[in-house]
Amino acid sequence: MKLTYVVQRYGPDIRGGAEKHCREFASRLAARGWDIEVLTTCATDYRTWADALLPGTSDDSGVRVTRFPVIAERDETSFDALSGQVLADPPRTPADVQERWMVEQGPQVPDLVEAVRSEVGSDLMVFITYLYYTSYFGLRAAGCRSVLHPTAHDEAPIYLSMYDEMFRRPRGFVFYTQEEQSFVRGRFDIAATPGLVAGIGIDPPLDYDPSRVRERVGGHDRYVLYLGRLDAAKGVEQLCSFFGRYRERRGDSLELLLAGEGATPLPDVPGVSLVGTLSEQEKWDALAGAEALIHPSYHESFAATLLEAWSVQTPAIVNGYCPITVGHCRRADGGVWYRSYAEFEACLDLVLADHELRGALGEQGRRYVDSFYRWDSIIDRYMEFLEGVRARR
Amino acid sequence: MARGRGLWLFMTMRENSRRPRVVAGEVVANIRDEVRSHYRAGRYPPEIASELEGLYGDGDAGPPFDAELAALREVQFSPEIEAASNKRVIAPLVAGTKRTIRGGLRWYTNALLEQFETFARRTITAVEVLGARLDALESRHAKATKELEASIHDEIGDARRKNRDALARSDDIAAALEDLRSAVERLERRLQRPNS
């Protein structure tokens, strides 16, 4: 099978979830003997799409990667203003304005779209993320041999009518979660198109040692951990507020470690430590040493950090208004969820005080990841699905 | 407040499982019961209790909304409709025919089921949105009621205080008038005495 991925950014240093997972799929399929190519941009920053990598073809873990220059960086001021207008009432925005919004959003890579059109040797072309120029114009150019990983959730842009036509093009869909599949099938008329809920694989670390992260970030005996982007959309400000109140009411020495980066300044709350971006090994060490992972986000496509926490048997406390994380917790029986400060306090009290409960939730989470989210079984199912799509073409 | 609760309270046996399993949904239900009882007993300070108005306020209004919503989410649609027959003699033939029809129409029933599931999911979302809006309204209503009560209380207190002040002032005036009257009387008496 010859497969071509089309994705907005690609490389070992790209931190975005969709791009990271694209690279996982591509390199693992290449390792299984499939002929894998990636068409992508020279950009690394999703806000400006400024070229940062050299154009041309190179090899990345057995995958042939061809990069195309972005012809115009995103003008954030102009794009934000247009977004305000377009996303105020997505379904009623005129088609030409929607398309202008798509072009301004970028990344504008007409050469990549031409390369998709002229690529004739691939059995299938797999597009990652519904949102961007690369998928929108690329799917038009790909003809009847495309598969889309939408990586979608309930957000304003997906209600733009221009996506109706785009979602009719793929011959197959690959989803992160059952919730994503239900949402996309509710939004678009794609019931007859084959779909696979593949998920994302989590490879457990070979070893982890919580004491190492204590040396790295300071002497925290007992801590809960947040891992991810530090911005308001992820619920981090609310988490800081809840945690500050918890410390005040309980007089507890528990610490909250915030690991990640973000542009939003966070309030200075006693007991909350910003530890910056952790290396892969530090991440596993920190997860293993935490009393619990806290996942306060309201909107998620997949929530891989939840599965990573369960891989090292750490239970989770998640936002009760996020269907993706609550869905994982319900299916795994690996965590609890809250909808208010009082419930947050009760969840934390319970998980901290009941050692057996904490162990059971963590262990059940690990079994869930072992059953459904190990790369080997995911790649088996994924390959079988793609073979089926190719056969139906 | 949840300290000291035993793990076994939350364990239930699941089918095909040899070991007791902690069911996260039950743990959360238990947490909510406890928060609700604390809330109703007035054990939270106002700033925390006010956040719970929407979740736990008016608890006697019927079955818990969350439980009903959870039950709605649990509903499963299945194309595996029972094919058995109670007809004497021809039951195997009828059941076989039903199974054949069921299998032959699987493509059709599956497509319908997807539409049902889509409809159900969007209905649940709509109910959740309505629930959230109702929560917000209840919360605002409860807050406004409290503010109104506090305001009325302040006004009444103010009026009483003003009334008390007015009464006190009238008492003072009355006392001053009484003093004046006494002084006038004394003066009159002195004037009436001859050669005094």
Side-chain angles (χ1 to χ4, degrees), chain A residues 182-183 185-186 191 245 249-250 332-333 335-337 339-341 343 346 349-350 354 356-357 360 364, chain B residues 1 3 5-7 14 21-24 27-28 31-32 35 44-45 48 51-52 55-56 66 114 118 121:
Chain A
S182 299
F183 171 69
R185 288 196 159 164
R245 205 189 281 181
R249 277 171 56 80
R250 288 286 178 264
D333 287 324
V336 291
W337 51 94
R339 301 164 302 169
S340 62
Y341 170 73
E343 290 179 1
D349 277 346
L350 183 63
D354 195 330
E356 278 184 275
L357 174 70
Q364 290 172 181
Chain B
M1 64 186 203
R3 290 173 201 278
R5 277 190 298 197
L7 167 68
R14 280 199 162 174
R21 182 177 173 90
V22 175
V23 180
V27 177
V28 171
I31 285 170
R32 289 181 183 176
V35 171
Y44 289 117
I48 294 177
E51 293 170 2
L52 298 173
L55 294 172
Y56 299 120
D66 289 336
E114 282 186 356
T118 299
R121 194 186 57 74

Side-chain angles (χ1 to χ4, degrees), chain A residues 328-389:
Chain A
H328 276 311
C329 285
R330 277 187 187 278
R331 289 190 291 274
D333 287 324
V336 291
W337 51 94
Y338 61 88
R339 301 164 302 169
S340 62
Y341 170 73
E343 290 179 1
F344 173 84
E345 181 183 275
C347 286
L348 206 45
D349 277 346
L350 183 63
V351 169
L352 293 175
D354 195 330
H355 178 73
E356 278 184 275
L357 174 70
R358 197 164 68 236
L361 291 173
E363 171 58 21
Q364 290 172 181
R366 189 190 60 75
R367 275 189 257 147
Y368 172 71
V369 178
D370 280 347
S371 302
F372 301 106
Y373 295 102
R374 294 296 180 217
W375 273 117
D376 277 347
S377 57
I378 286 174
I379 294 293
D380 286 345
R381 285 189 284 129
Y382 187 64
M383 291 171 84
E384 189 183 333
F385 174 75
L386 293 179
E387 294 279 16
V389 173

Side-chain angles (χ1 to χ4, degrees), chain B residues 144-177:
Chain B
T145 305
K146 273 186 185 168
E147 283 172 0
L148 185 63
E149 282 172 359
S151 171
I152 289 170
H153 184 265
D154 288 349
E155 289 297 326
I156 291 171
D158 227 24
R160 280 186 181 145
R161 196 166 47 253
K162 283 176 183 164
N163 193 31
R164 273 201 305 274
D165 291 348
L167 284 173
R169 276 202 302 278
S170 66
D171 285 348
D172 290 347
I173 292 168
L177 283 174

Side-chain angles (χ1 to χ4, degrees), chain A residues 64-142:
Chain A
R64 196 166 55 261
V65 181
T66 304
R67 297 182 192 284
F68 297 87
V70 176
I71 60 165
E73 290 181 19
R74 184 195 286 174
D75 179 338
E76 285 195 76
T77 311
S78 152
F79 177 65
D80 287 348
L82 182 61
S83 287
Q85 178 195 335
V86 168
L87 302 182
D89 190 1
R92 291 196 174 81
T93 303
D96 60 322
V97 180
Q98 292 187 33
E99 201 143 302
R100 183 155 61 86
W101 176 85
M102 174 59 77
V103 171
E104 286 207 21
Q105 178 186 223
Q108 294 180 47
V109 273
D111 288 350
L112 182 150
V113 176
E114 272 315 304
V116 170
R117 200 185 313 279
S118 57
E119 167 60 56
V120 290
S122 290
D123 294 303
L124 288 174
M125 308 204 78
V126 183
F127 293 82
I128 305 291
T129 303
Y130 82 96
L131 187 64
Y132 295 119
Y133 180 106
T134 41
S135 292
Y136 182 73
F137 292 105
L139 274 162
R140 277 187 192 172

